[in-house]
Amino acid sequence: MSFQSLHNILPLLAEAETKSITLLSNENEFELPAGNYLFVEMFCNEKNCDCRRVIFSVFNDNHKIALANIGYGWESETFYKKWNRSNDKTIARKMMKFLLNQISPQSEYAKMILIMFNKVLFPSTPYLARVKAHYLLFRKEI
């Protein structure tokens, strides 16, 4: 499975709708350096794949590489068991949670970025609906 940035396929949409969190001080509840944290949506670009997953690659002003890569799938356990061709509910359930993507590089800040994501962005149902809509638009372009 190969993931590509929404910015590469729909740059104007990505520019207008990519979420960010700004930490104004190094003194914050997440113990992260101050700065703007950009949550770049990455979707699978394989023609026949319909995994219904996103990876949020998280960047900030001071780093050129992603500090965290957070995976999430919004479908049911049944969907992911079928998609994965496995009855392993543990794997299916992991695909449905916001987790650090195991096969992506992670920085020393990744765990705290995940906590910040879960506290600030995850509770937003409209945001998750927008991510799903971005996925559909992305898939139409592939």
Side-chain angles (χ1 to χ4, degrees):
M1 201 181 308
S2 178
F3 282 73
Q4 188 172 3
S5 167
L6 182 65
H7 285 81
N8 294 128
I9 303 299
L10 298 163
L12 296 177
L13 177 68
E15 184 69 29
E17 296 194 1
T18 296
K19 284 284 197 177
S20 66
I21 297 172
T22 302
L23 299 176
L24 299 176
S25 164
N26 288 333
E27 307 281 325
N28 59 73
E29 66 181 290
F30 306 110
E31 301 174 7
L32 291 167
N36 188 45
Y37 290 80
L38 193 65
F39 291 78
V40 175
E41 297 168 30
M42 310 279 289
F43 300 109
C44 180
N45 63 4
E46 293 181 16
K47 293 240 184 255
N48 296 321
C49 183
D50 187 21
C51 60
R52 302 177 195 176
R53 291 182 46 76
V54 62
I55 293 177
F56 298 97
S57 289
V58 185
F59 298 86
N60 86 356
D61 302 332
N62 302 318
H63 296 85
K64 301 282 186 204
I65 61 169
L67 297 175
N69 290 284
I70 302 167
Y72 172 66
W74 52 84
E75 292 296 340
S76 67
E77 179 182 319
T78 302
F79 175 89
Y80 288 112
K81 285 195 306 191
K82 182 178 178 182
W83 178 83
N84 201 35
R85 295 179 182 96
S86 168
N87 279 328
D88 188 336
K89 65 183 177 184
T90 303
I91 292 172
R93 287 179 181 167
K94 281 185 179 180
M95 294 181 83
M96 299 164 51
K97 294 181 182 178
F98 290 102
L99 294 174
L100 295 175
N101 194 43
Q102 293 178 341
I103 62 172
S104 299
Q106 307 291 351
S107 76
E108 63 186 292
Y109 303 113
K111 288 181 183 175
M112 295 311 291
I113 290 170
L114 178 61
I115 290 169
M116 179 174 67
F117 179 88
N118 279 318
K119 185 167 186 179
V120 178
L121 294 180
F122 172 58
S124 174
T125 303
Y127 174 54
L128 295 179
R130 190 163 71 184
V131 169
K132 293 175 193 179
H134 290 172
Y135 173 82
L136 294 174
L137 292 169
F138 181 97
R139 296 302 306 167
K140 283 182 183 177
E141 296 295 319
I142 296 298

